[in-house]
Amino acid sequence: MALVRDVVCGREGDTDAVNRQVATDYGGVGETDPSHGTKRYYKGKWYYFCSLECRMKFTVNPEQYIEASPQEVG
């Protein structure tokens, strides 16, 4: 388990919960449950979010959030 901070709202999240596969689609691709958080790959790094809403805010202007706050907790 690795704790990370949502760069949009500041909430802490668990990368294991976000990445946990809950189902497999018809093509064999694993699916996750977004109610446990979500993530987005940007400029060579994964960013984790508490919700789809925070991920969408990040997607609109990622540089604003990257400059504002580190994601690692600790």
Side-chain angles (χ1 to χ4, degrees):
M1 175 173 99
L3 291 179
V4 291
R5 188 171 312 281
D6 182 323
V7 294
V8 175
C9 71
R11 290 185 189 156
E12 288 183 12
D14 175 7
T15 59
D16 290 344
V18 172
N19 293 316
R20 187 173 299 118
Q21 182 177 321
V22 296
T24 304
D25 72 7
Y26 66 90
V29 176
E31 295 180 342
T32 59
D33 181 354
S35 69
H36 296 287
T38 185
K39 63 185 179 180
R40 185 173 195 289
Y41 193 74
Y42 180 73
K43 289 191 175 181
K45 181 178 177 182
W46 284 104
Y47 290 88
Y48 289 83
F49 307 96
C50 69
S51 66
L52 292 170
E53 181 181 350
C54 282
R55 186 176 79 181
M56 289 301 297
K57 288 179 181 179
F58 176 85
T59 299
V60 171
N61 189 358
E63 296 301 324
Q64 168 189 350
Y65 297 105
I66 292 170
E67 293 170 5
S69 150
Q71 192 172 43
E72 294 177 10
V73 175

